[in-house]
Each structure stands twice: as structure tokens, then as C-alpha cells.
Amino acid sequence: MNVRRTTIKDVAEAAGVGVATVSRVLSGGSASPETRERVLNAATQLDYRPSALGRNLRQRRSGGIGLLVPDITDSFYGRLADGVLACARSAGEPVVLGTTGDDAEREAEQIGMLLEQGVERVVAVPAGNAEIWEPTLRTGLTMVFAHRPVTARDDVPAVLADDRAGVRTAVDYLTGLGHRRIAYLGGPGQGQRVAAFRQSVGALLDEELIVFARGSRDSAYAAAAGLFQHRPDLTAVLAGGNQLGEAAVLAARELDLRVPKDLSLVMFDDVPWAELCSPPLTVIAQPAQDIGYRAAELVLRAGARRPRGVLLPTELIVRGSCGPRRTP
Amino acid sequence: MNVRRTTIKDVAEAAGVGVATVSRVLSGGSASPETRERVLNAATQLDYRPSALGRNLRQRRSGGIGLLVPDITDSFYGRLADGVLACARSAGEPVVLGTTGDDAEREAEQIGMLLEQGVERVVAVPAGNAEIWEPTLRTGLTMVFAHRPVTARDDVPAVLADDRAGVRTAVDYLTGLGHRRIAYLGGPGQGQRVAAFRQSVGALLDEELIVFARGSRDSAYAAAAGLFQHRPDLTAVLAGGNQLGEAAVLAARELDLRVPKDLSLVMFDDVPWAELCSPPLTVIAQPAQDIGYRAAELVLRAGARRPRGVLLPTELIVRGSCGPRRTP
DNA sequence: AATCATGATGGAATCGTTTCCATGAACGTG
DNA sequence: CACGTTCATGGAAACGATTCCATCATGATT
């Protein structure tokens, strides 16, 4: 039961060389062909697997990459995580996952844990703002932000969907259908999108039509229902995420607002069920998996890492949840 | 930039004690009150955070817990992962996530990586069967299976939803509605459910009505469409997961089968969109998050870990996707 | 008063790797 | 032929914690 695992020392002994040589051979250093072969043979013979523990300690860093998302339950973050995992797997790196619940404090706690583990490369969907990140960025870890930027930190690369274009396209689409009172139903950390929304609606801007929910489903529902009840004059809604879209559909149904007859709805993020919904939802698709993959790529290629950021395209997918403005 | 992190040695020096004493104090060993205070002061003063790297090497294991799921994109596994994360967080342990794609080979590869990382406690939704797990279980790591058992390994605890009862309830419900030709649309690793299905339908059993998809969405759709076309006489379907349910809805829609008029549908796993679907889907709810949490609990409490397994209840939630048998 | 048990304490070993450095052989060049 | 350069190689020193073990002081028991 207490079988000691085979160490580099065993391999060295079996191959009749020093441990340094074994290490060199296994990590691609220089060695004579014959020695190399002897070592490799001995290694396979003994089924040697180098322990990451020893290496990590010596190099003062654990290989893996850290991933921080607000909520792994959310389809969008699920796909983003999948992208990170795919990239990490092809690089042979483990991924340490943590959730922040979009809470800056919890985020800091998770970062602390990652540092303690020696994780030095982190992909994060940032919850906090610039000041919050200040201290952790000074610890010297390699960060890449995904999905959202941290304003005023353009020295940290960010992989983003082109929210601005997405919002504008959606708003143009809705105004083109005749809508004048368009609401934005937002979640945490959507400063960019809201700015784009304000800009896109231009003269139609009505601050009361911009509402925010906190992270949870309940909060999203409350925000949507509150909005619909408080402003029955609105005719279109742009929901800033799939949970918010879900809440909007439910709230509309509850208040007997027919979609799209009474209310047009566009949702950020294309999820499989958008097509199953009744009516099928018009969405702004985001390449969630790509975002994750690209972010992981960036964080792994820490060296000459110049790109300040990557902007991936969004796409408006028209289904059935938008119609011409209801004529009163 | 090259700020050496503060080590236990620094703390020892600052407190005027030996490193052994610092270690003892910090890990709750015996020490005199005054020494304890001096050490604690010095530690907070220097903002000391013990490096997991050193500890891991000495103890020959990395703290964290490994989590292996088929597909983090799937809502069910997302919630399961969330449960594991919640438990791990409260225990202060990091979680290393890997996906297997329901592929035994990839699963083995992930296990290998975890072992290399020194991860000794793993929660997994097993993809492979008993023989596949044989060697990895001999490596001495602490395993807990979640969501699915590995047959013939009752020495490894498993946290499961009560599939048997769930299937039976669903089948009883459908037969109660008059259905006689009931299909099962399954995914990988659903041996238990299929067995329960066979048993529940009893004399109505028709092997042709049991079909399987591989993991992907496409495969699920193909299986569903094939089933519906090949056997237009069936009147009810039990889908063994949310992706399969989704595929069934899509395929039915494509083939102009009206739900529930032409086809009754029960889906395993309650997902948020089940309610948004048209018609809202009748589902067998599974406590995915609980499964994850309980599994993590079990794997963390490695000592006197007696329970062979945990069986959590499922619940039939009746919505609108089932109706009386279509009269020809 | 002598002995023993108890508990606090620090030095040193240990975990498994990488990497620095010294050694020696082989080789090419003046 | 002598000398410098290059290369393969192995011993040993890190890395930062935990933990064994010996030491010493203190108080209790005979």
C-alpha cells in the first residue's frame, strides 16, 4: 500500500547517470544521444512521472493557470471556462477554478488563494474596479481579463466581445422597427455596454429605462418586473445577459405582456434554449468559448505579450422576439 | 520588482524563535501563549502567507481537490461544479477542474495530470467503467464518484440522484396518461437509468425504443430525430438529460410533432429554461448542486469515511409537455 | 533531595525537482 | 604540441514548508 513513487533519483540510478542529467534530458536540455536514450528507456521502464510538487517548489511557481468567473452555473461562463480548459489542456497545464459571485471581496480572497498555491497566471472576469486590482497586479502575476475590462488598466490585456458594436446593432435594429422607448436591463460590471447603449439610443435616452440587477436570478427577475411595472410605456428591452433575458421573459409573461406584440426583446448571449423559447429569442451572440480560449492563450504566452487586448465580433441573430412598435 | 516573498524563516527571525515553532503555532500545534502571540504578531506584521508549494512537497500531496466532469458547458455539470466549489471554498481548498468529454481515455489523461500535480482527492463523474478505473484506484487516491456509479466498485463512495425512483415516477406518470409506447433517449453512462427504465415499463418494453446518443448536441439531435422518424408510433419520450431534452424538442418541432398533443416529453434535469420552453417542460429535477457539495464533503472527510454512498431524491415537476395518449 | 513526567523549543533532516558550478574529455586551431 | 573552447556530466545547493528528535526547564511525585 505504501508504495513510494519512483523519483528522478531512481531513474538516474537505473540509467547509471546523475540526477542532473535525467532532469536535463527530460526537459529538453543538452545530452548525448546515447545518454538520452538510456535515460528515456529507464524512465519508461520505471513508469516515471515527474512530480510537479518538487518542480513547483524549485521554480517557486505552480504551473497551472487560475480561472476566476462570477458564476460557473451561467451558460456564458460555462462556455468561457470550456475555452480556457481547451487551451490549457493542449498546453498540458492544469486549471484552478474559482467563482467570485461578482463580489470584489470574494474575488480578492480567491486571488489570495491562487497566490498561496503559487499560481502565477490568471484569467479573470473582473468583478472589482481599478483600485481593487491595484494591489494584486503589483504582486507580479500574469493577468488577462476576459469578457470585461478593468477601466484604466490598459496595461493588462483583455479579451472582449465587441459589446459596443453589439449594442449598437441591437439598438439600430429596434429603432428600425419603430421603437422609441428602449430599456436596458443590465447586470454587474456592464459599464461598457451601458455607455454604448447611451450613445446608441442618442436622443431617445431615458435614464429611467436603464436598470441594474445584481448577480442572482431573483434580483434579475425583480429588476425586470419592476421595470415593466414602473414604465408600461416601454416597448423594447435589451437584456444584458442570458439570466437577465430569462428574467425578462418570465416577468413579461407574468405581467401578461406578449412578446413580441407588446414588448420586443433582444438578449445578450446566444444560448441553446433561445431557440426553444416561445417566441424564439433574438439575441446578440458572443463567442464565449473563443474568449476563454484566447484569454488562456494570452496568459500562457507571457513573454513578448504585446497585444493590449483582443476584440471579438458579436452577431445579431434575429429570431422571433422583436416586432414593430405596438401602436397604442 | 524582484521582491522575495516572506518565508517562515523571516517570521521566525522577526519573532526571535525557531522555524519549527512558527510552523507549530501556525498549524495549531502546542506553544506557550506568549510565544504564540509573538509569532502571530510577527506574521501579521510581515504579512506572511505560507507557501503551499513548500508544504505540498513536504507532505507529498497538494491540498486541492480535483473535479472531473464530462462537459462544463452542460448546465447540470455547471451546477454540480458549483456545489463542489462551494464546499471546497468553505474548507479553504482550491479546485482543479478538468473535462473528460465522457471519454475514458481523456479521463485517464486528466487523472494522470492530477496525480502529477499531487492532487490526491478527486470528485469525478466517471466516464469509463470498472476496469478502466482499476489502475487509478490502486494509486491510493481518495475518490468519490458523483452522478454515476462505477459498477462493481462499491468500495468507492458515490453520490447519486435517485435515478431509479425518478425513472419509475416518470414512467408511471406517462403510463397513467395512457401511454404504451414510451421511448428512452439516453446519453453515455446511463446504465442505471436504462435498467430502471426497463424494469419500470415492464411488459411494455420495446428495445427498439431505447436509443443512445454520444455526448454532443449533434449526436443528441440525430438520435432524437432518428427515433421519431423510425418509430412514428411512439407517443412518449423520456429524455435522459437536458441536452437530450433540448434535442427532443427541436427534433419534434422539425418533424411537426406537437408537444404534448402528438408526443409527451419528460426530461431529466430541471433547467431554468424548461419553464420558458413552449410548452413548459415536465421534468425530473435532480439536486445537481447538492450532489457536488456532498461529494466534495465526502472526499474531504477522508478519514473515517464509511458511507458507501449517498442517494439524493429526485422530484417530478409537472409542467405542460405531457398529455393523454393521442388517440389514433 | 533525587527522579520522573511533561511541555516548550530549536536544529536539522526531509520532500523531488531544477540549476549552478566544477570537472574532465574531446576537439580544433595557432 | 600546447592551449583555448565547447560540450556532456554529476555533485551539491537551493526552494519553503513540516516534522523528527534531542535538549532543557519546570513542576510533581516518591
Side-chain angles (χ1 to χ4, degrees), chain B residues 54-68:
Chain B
R55 175 186 9 228
N56 290 349
L57 176 55
R58 173 64 224 237
Q59 306 187 333
R60 298 148 95 169
R61 64 200 201 82
S62 112
I65 101 175
L67 172 60
L68 258 36

Side-chain angles (χ1 to χ4, degrees), chain A residues 144-173:
Chain A
V144 170
F145 293 129
H147 183 50
R148 299 177 196 153
V150 164
T151 48
R153 289 310 300 227
D154 53 358
D155 54 332
V156 176
V159 179
L160 309 170
D162 192 348
D163 282 349
R164 187 171 302 276
V167 169
R168 173 167 11 212
T169 308
V171 169
D172 286 354
Y173 176 61

